[in-house]
Amino acid sequence: MGYIEKLVNGFVNSSIKNSWGSYKGSKDITSHEKDYVVKMLDFIEKDSIRFRTSNLLKWYIDKAESSKRMYYIFNITALISNAAIPILALSNNNGEAKIFVSILAAIAGVSLSINNLGHYKENWTNYRKCAEGIKQAVSVYSIKKETYLTLNKGKNDLTPANEKYIVKLEQELLTEIDMIVSLEGKRWFEIHSKQEEEMDASQQ
């Protein structure tokens, strides 16, 4: 193994060992949620599993928060625009007021259309559901592991039987996470394929 390869491998291994992927360093996740999940991730001994779980959690939480933000932005914009239309129409009935009313109506319509096209509400709930599912899977893993090791002579007594059971728990965790990710992909496809079908039907 060359010097450069050793240097790269050492950097990667150090990064994985001393972090929880990009989750721990994320500024978009609330401190309360981050502290809770980091404690759960600490129970995962294998760096590769912890790193993958961490990055999946960050991705889903970030996407959920982004979709939630866009959903509220477009809905609040439409709400304010629609609320301002009758007020403006009653306050002044000249040509300038009619122009502003038309502009506000257009803004409200475009905002709602973008919101529907982007499926921000569906994506928000879908991504958040996945994040909560992964958090639950990690929580179940940590509880099972802690309970088993406590009943089998403590945390530090890693006998072959204990190690075998922990490997089994890790496999169950990975299987559960893979199933959650797979279901999320199916839901995403169903949401967007339905939109395409509706658009095709409207054009006919």
Side-chain angles (χ1 to χ4, degrees):
M1 183 182 293
Y3 173 77
I4 300 297
E5 189 175 353
K6 287 182 179 179
L7 188 65
V8 171
N9 288 339
F11 174 77
V12 171
N13 291 333
S14 176
S15 299
I16 293 175
K17 185 175 181 180
N18 297 313
S19 71
W20 288 260
S22 53
Y23 185 92
K24 193 175 182 181
S26 175
K27 297 180 180 179
D28 298 327
I29 302 171
T30 61
S31 58
H32 174 74
E33 183 175 32
K34 187 186 295 185
D35 291 341
Y36 170 77
V37 176
V38 165
K39 289 178 182 178
M40 292 295 100
L41 291 173
D42 277 336
F43 284 93
I44 303 176
E45 291 186 3
K46 283 190 178 178
D47 296 329
S48 57
I49 298 176
R50 186 172 65 244
F51 195 78
R52 178 174 183 267
T53 306
S54 167
N55 281 283
L56 280 173
L57 271 172
K58 181 185 181 300
W59 192 88
Y60 281 121
I61 292 174
D62 284 349
K63 294 293 287 185
E65 289 301 313
S66 175
S67 297
K68 176 184 176 182
R69 193 179 305 114
M70 298 302 291
Y71 172 75
Y72 276 112
I73 287 174
F74 287 118
N75 271 275
I76 291 173
T77 300
L79 181 65
I80 294 174
S81 299
N82 284 325
I85 288 174
I87 298 173
L88 187 61
L90 290 173
S91 62
N92 199 335
N93 199 26
N94 57 28
E96 186 176 340
K98 291 180 179 179
I99 293 174
F100 280 113
V101 167
S102 299
I103 292 173
L104 288 173
I107 291 173
V110 170
S111 297
L112 291 176
S113 297
I114 293 175
N115 193 34
N116 290 331
L117 286 172
H119 295 286
Y120 293 116
K121 183 178 181 180
E122 293 90 342
N123 289 336
W124 165 27
T125 56
N126 187 26
Y127 292 137
R128 173 49 71 172
K129 185 176 182 180
C130 289
E132 294 302 319
I134 294 174
K135 285 163 62 176
Q136 182 180 3
V138 174
S139 179
V140 170
Y141 164 85
S142 62
I143 292 171
K144 285 184 177 180
K145 178 183 175 182
E146 184 74 4
T147 303
Y148 179 82
L149 292 179
T150 301
L151 294 175
N152 288 270
K153 301 180 182 179
K155 300 178 183 178
N156 298 322
D157 188 15
L158 291 179
T159 64
N162 289 352
E163 291 181 352
K164 185 177 180 180
Y165 181 76
I166 291 173
V167 169
K168 179 185 176 184
L169 288 180
E170 290 172 346
Q171 291 174 346
E172 290 177 356
L173 174 63
L174 289 174
T175 301
E176 182 69 19
I177 291 175
D178 288 341
M179 185 176 67
I180 292 170
V181 173
S182 177
L183 289 175
E184 183 276 323
K186 290 180 180 178
R187 284 195 296 266
W188 186 93
F189 179 78
E190 289 173 359
I191 291 170
H192 290 269
S193 61
K194 183 179 179 181
Q195 176 190 359
E196 292 179 358
E197 290 174 0
E198 291 174 351
M199 292 178 65
D200 292 339
S202 63
Q203 292 175 357
Q204 292 178 355

